[in-house]
Amino acid sequence: MSANINATLSALAEPKRLQIVELLREGPLTVGEIAEKLELLQPQTSKHLGVLNKAGLVEVKAQANMRIYKLCQQPFKDLDGWLTSFEHVWEERFDRLDEYLQKLQGKD
């Protein structure tokens, strides 16, 4: 597993960070908006956003005295590609399960 995938999964393993990512799917938000929606204190929210930023999942843009966060696409594309690489394994297993169940039912 690549370092990028590992960083992505580690960052998303924390439930509040995953909730932040879910919120940002709808579009960019300020730290205050995220904190309010998740009922977190601003320092907690900033800490979680820092972890997501370090993992490359979000980017921040300063606008006046606000920090606006949005998702970065590439880490999620990388994660999707990594997960897709397992698809053939599951398809083979489901095919074998289907064959086994048909055999149990006396259908060939």
Side-chain angles (χ1 to χ4, degrees):
M1 178 171 16
S2 79
N4 291 342
I5 298 295
N6 193 36
T8 297
L9 293 174
S10 293
L12 296 175
E14 207 289 329
K16 288 295 181 190
R17 289 195 287 268
L18 186 57
Q19 288 178 320
I20 290 171
V21 167
E22 288 295 321
L23 285 175
L24 292 174
R25 287 175 62 171
E26 303 299 318
L29 293 170
T30 65
V31 176
E33 291 169 327
I34 295 168
E36 183 180 322
K37 290 176 187 256
L38 294 181
E39 298 179 355
L40 292 172
L41 298 174
Q42 188 273 334
Q44 293 172 306
T45 306
S46 292
K47 184 177 179 181
H48 287 304
L49 287 164
V51 172
L52 292 170
N53 190 321
K54 186 176 179 182
L57 297 172
V58 298
E59 60 184 45
V60 61
K61 178 179 153 187
Q63 187 174 11
N65 64 342
M66 296 183 297
R67 300 258 184 243
I68 300 171
Y69 285 84
K70 71 176 191 172
L71 292 178
C72 297
Q73 291 182 7
Q74 193 59 49
F76 296 99
K77 288 180 180 179
D78 294 345
L79 182 59
D80 182 56
W82 181 73
L83 291 170
T84 301
S85 72
F86 292 96
E87 193 173 307
H88 74 281
V89 172
W90 289 109
E91 286 177 6
E92 288 176 17
R93 290 180 182 179
F94 285 132
D95 288 345
R96 283 187 297 211
L97 177 61
D98 187 47
E99 290 171 12
Y100 176 71
L101 293 174
Q102 286 183 9
K103 194 175 193 179
L104 283 177
Q105 294 174 349
K107 298 178 185 174
D108 286 323

